[in-house]
Amino acid sequence: MITVTAIRRWWWPLLFLVVGALAAEERTALAAEQRQPNVILILMDDMGWRDVGFMGNRFVDTPAIDALARGGLVFTQAYASAPNCAPTRACLMSGQVTPRHGVYTVVDPRQPPGSPWHKLRAAESNSDLATDVVTLPEALAAAGYATAFFGMWNLGRGRTGPTTPGGQGFETVVFPENLGFGKDAYHDDAGNYLSDRLTDELLDFVERERDRPFFAYFADHAVHAPYDPPTDLVAKYEGKYEGKYEGKGDGDRRDNAAYAATIEGVDRNVARIVAALDRLALREETLLVFTSDNGGTPQFTPPLRGSKGQLYEGGIRVPLVVSWPGHVSPGSTAIPVATVDLYPTLLDLCRAAAPAGQPLDGMSLAGLLAGKEAPERERLFWHFPCYVGKATPSSAVREGDWKLVEFFEDGGHVELFSLNDDPHEQNDLAAVERQRADALTKTLHAWQAATGAAIPNAANPAYDPAADRPRGGPGAGGGGDPQGGRQTQKGGKGGKRGGDGRQPGAGGRVGGASRAPLPSGDGERRPRPRQ
């Protein structure tokens, strides 16, 4: 017979165990709620708006990136904050639009302002991000984050010094040269693929810093031309092109085998990153961002108008997905967003303080990612007062579904588009919607004045309409590298952090690739400085 005394003997200890377990579970949940997320930010080079499966590419296979999109929030109207490499990266690191940091383009000593094929005297561009800017990694480091950079910087010359990644807030710095890769090479002499090796280093960093919050900025060389992808992937897509696939014959030039292989090479490494996070039980603690630095090259941007270097949609529209299981609800949004939004968004999600006295031009998307009411975006602005390729100096504003582009040559003129009715920008409505065009022009000019934007309105006395424009390189949409070009430092204090960062792999053999690069997609083989 069980007595009351016996019941009390086993009941109270059991009750204490249950209460204790519930309290422990609550503490664990609270700790998880309070834990700062890890962040891996993947920035592709020259990947256009529709170069991956989740954005509509029907030729290339990107299962890992598409899985991020299915489980994350896709931004269908995402923009780079500039139409080429260096300025967008400066916007990302500073949270500021181009007139504030003065990095307008990749500085190319072969095509300085005043070149004979320029009608106007183009604005001078800083080649470095000034050291008085509090960068995103610096803001996150102040909040307790381990910080690491892998890949292409393009915001400061050399490997060490105040304007290189190590001087701008990154504790771990890995350039391709540290890993034995020649300038702009996709393969080293041993046949290793650059995206694979950069990912190796990223995963080593994640494993090493797994017990504290970390921020990893993965700035891959892919998918910049000329391409040199893994040979097995080239063979796959050459066979796919010869066979049948959905969309064949529709005129979409994304069925370029070398380009598709380069994209899938990226996807393979995204799969490796996600698998490593799963293995380390870090996936639900890690925010993954995947996007690009500017629009694609001309053969890959249609039906959007324009391409890299231009402020038409093809030059600035990019893929963007944010994935954080258990925190970001899957879906898509058509809210216009831009690169400058990532800085304040990550500050909010990582509970890091905004830098005092530094204007931030972006809009935090933290609430939207958490499933709250979407923020209202009043306007987006771009300013590109330079020449690159066939693009001429221009500025732009988007307000709602209306977009106005101002061109500075020939006394200046504007073009107006209704993106809702005309997403491919084929019908200029400036003459028809004159009142709206005038109002947006006034708004754009007020913004230019407020941000101190350089306006290229002086004629170039050296202009020669018969002058030959050099092909390749930064001025032609080809690229520049952080160790090339003229330094025009803007307001730098010099050595803000002063560190040159740890460099895993430093001392690795630096040599040229032993493989000839594949065509860039337009039939040409050409060397290129980076952009």
Side-chain angles (χ1 to χ4, degrees), residues 404 414 416 430 433-445:
L404 179 132
V414 299
L416 179 68
E433 293 275 353
R434 185 175 300 276
Q435 187 174 356
R436 188 184 301 274
D438 290 344
L440 282 174
T441 301
K442 185 178 179 180
T443 297
L444 179 58
H445 289 173

Side-chain angles (χ1 to χ4, degrees), residues 257 265 406 417:
E406 178 181 28
F417 304 98

Side-chain angles (χ1 to χ4, degrees), residues 466-502:
D468 290 330
R469 185 193 310 268
R471 300 200 61 185
D481 89 286
Q483 301 176 52
R486 193 162 34 84
Q487 241 182 334
T488 313
Q489 187 76 6
K490 177 184 177 183
K493 295 178 181 177
K496 173 180 47 179
R497 296 286 178 181
D500 55 20
R502 302 193 311 275

Side-chain angles (χ1 to χ4, degrees), residues 229-483:
T231 53
D232 65 314
L233 291 178
V234 176
K236 167 186 172 177
Y237 285 103
E238 286 176 343
K240 189 172 185 177
Y241 181 77
E242 294 302 323
K244 293 182 178 180
Y245 65 92
E246 184 184 0
K248 183 171 183 178
D250 64 2
D252 190 341
R253 293 183 63 189
R254 289 175 185 80
D255 56 11
N256 175 287
Y259 191 51
T262 304
I263 295 170
E264 187 172 345
V266 170
D267 189 80
R268 282 178 169 179
N269 285 299
V270 171
R272 292 178 62 204
I273 293 169
V274 173
L277 294 174
D278 286 338
R279 176 176 57 82
L280 297 170
L282 293 176
R283 185 64 189 95
E284 293 187 0
E285 299 174 18
T286 304
L287 178 79
L288 272 167
V289 181
F290 182 92
T291 190
S292 179
D293 63 349
N294 48 249
T297 48
Q299 67 271 39
F300 302 127
T301 57
L304 295 186
R305 183 177 181 180
S307 59
K308 173 182 177 179
Q310 298 175 300
L311 293 182
Y312 293 122
E313 294 287 281
I316 50 180
R317 281 277 295 278
V318 293
L320 172 61
V321 60
V322 179
S323 173
W324 187 11
H327 301 269
V328 174
S329 298
S332 66
T333 176
I335 294 173
V337 298
T339 311
V340 289
D341 295 331
L342 294 176
Y343 191 121
T345 299
L346 293 178
L347 291 188
D348 284 350
L349 293 174
C350 299
R351 297 193 294 280
Q358 180 170 308
L360 297 181
D361 295 305
M363 173 181 74
S364 175
L365 307 174
L368 175 63
L369 292 170
K372 299 178 182 177
E373 186 175 350
E376 288 193 17
R377 164 128 268 157
E378 191 173 5
R379 299 179 187 93
L380 281 172
F381 293 95
W382 296 265
H383 192 62
F384 191 69
C386 307
Y387 288 88
V388 57
K390 296 179 180 179
T392 63
S394 56
S395 197
V397 56
R398 174 172 174 170
E399 182 178 274
D401 289 325
W402 291 93
K403 179 181 169 189
L404 179 132
V405 184
E406 178 181 28
F407 298 92
F408 294 104
E409 281 192 348
D410 301 321
H413 76 279
V414 299
E415 295 179 4
L416 179 68
F417 304 98
S418 170
L419 297 179
N420 185 56
D421 302 321
D422 180 25
H424 308 150
E425 297 171 304
Q426 298 301 304
N427 302 307
D428 174 15
L429 300 176
V432 177
E433 293 275 353
R434 185 175 300 276
Q435 187 174 356
R436 188 184 301 274
D438 290 344
L440 282 174
T441 301
K442 185 178 179 180
T443 297
L444 179 58
H445 289 173
W447 174 82
Q448 292 167 353
T451 57
I455 306 300
N457 51 19
N460 177 17
Y463 173 62
D464 177 3
D468 290 330
R469 185 193 310 268
R471 300 200 61 185
D481 89 286
Q483 301 176 52

Side-chain angles (χ1 to χ4, degrees), residues 117 205 280:
W117 51 92
F205 167 77
L280 297 170

